[in-house]
Amino acid sequence: MTSPGSPTLIPGPLAAQEVGVAPATIRKWVQLGHLEAAGKAGRAALFRLEDVFAAERAAARRP
């Protein structure tokens, strides 16, 4: 359970669904340094939703 004020962390596939990209795109953003995992659940990387949206906006601005 998260405490009030702490960000909700979501797995990569759900993050991808939220911004309308493929899970491979999330992995690529991580690989390129545009997105950083905020935690782990086992081997799965977890992301803050606001970080995912920021990476998506930044990707839209790149040529």
Side-chain angles (χ1 to χ4, degrees), residues 4-56:
S6 67
T8 301
L9 301 180
I10 59 173
L14 181 56
Q17 184 179 353
E18 287 292 324
V19 294
V21 299
T25 301
I26 298 292
R27 293 190 299 272
K28 188 65 155 177
W29 289 346
V30 170
Q31 187 178 48
L32 293 172
H34 303 306
L35 179 62
E36 188 174 322
K40 285 200 151 260
R43 290 178 31 192
L46 300 175
F47 303 93
R48 289 182 191 93
L49 192 54
E50 57 267 26
D51 293 345
V52 176
F53 281 119
E56 190 271 335

Side-chain angles (χ1 to χ4, degrees), residues 7 33 57:
R57 285 191 303 272

